[in-house]
Amino acid sequence: INRDYLSYEDFIFFMLSEEDKANEISVRYWFTCIDVDGDGKLNNMEMRSFYAVQLHRMQCMGHEIVPFEDMLCQMIDMIKPG
């Protein structure tokens, strides 16, 4: 896989996934974007890296900042409720 450019097919997947983030294909697309080592699991480093970009965007837009650890706890609670 060449990561230096997007093929037409990759671009179409990106555009469709950006438009409708709720369908399963979009969720799988965004998962693979964050799963940089391609092991099928999101590790702490991958999530922190992605979150750092989102944190910067939130700061620039003046949104409330949620610490990574709090966001991670919320995700874990959603996946495996107490």
Side-chain angles (χ1 to χ4, degrees):
I1 297 174
N2 187 334
R3 303 269 181 187
D4 293 335
Y5 64 88
L6 287 176
S7 69
Y8 178 74
E9 183 178 316
D10 294 335
F11 177 74
I12 296 300
F13 276 126
F14 169 75
M15 294 301 293
L16 293 173
S17 296
E18 177 64 22
E19 186 66 29
D20 180 9
K21 294 179 181 80
N23 76 52
E24 185 177 340
I25 293 171
S26 296
V27 171
R28 286 181 188 275
Y29 174 84
W30 290 115
F31 181 89
T32 59
C33 289
I34 299 170
D35 182 23
V36 294
D37 62 9
D39 67 353
K41 299 179 270 186
L42 299 181
N43 63 40
N44 197 357
M45 183 212 60
E46 291 166 327
M47 289 187 288
R48 277 188 188 278
S49 176
F50 177 76
Y51 190 74
V53 174
Q54 300 311 310
L55 181 65
H56 179 71
R57 289 182 63 207
M58 288 187 286
Q59 289 170 330
C60 290
M61 298 173 78
H63 291 251
E64 178 185 357
I65 303 304
V66 177
F68 174 78
E69 289 74 17
D70 293 352
M71 184 276 311
L72 186 59
C73 284
Q74 291 173 9
M75 286 180 56
I76 291 170
D77 287 347
M78 287 189 301
I79 296 168
K80 293 184 178 182

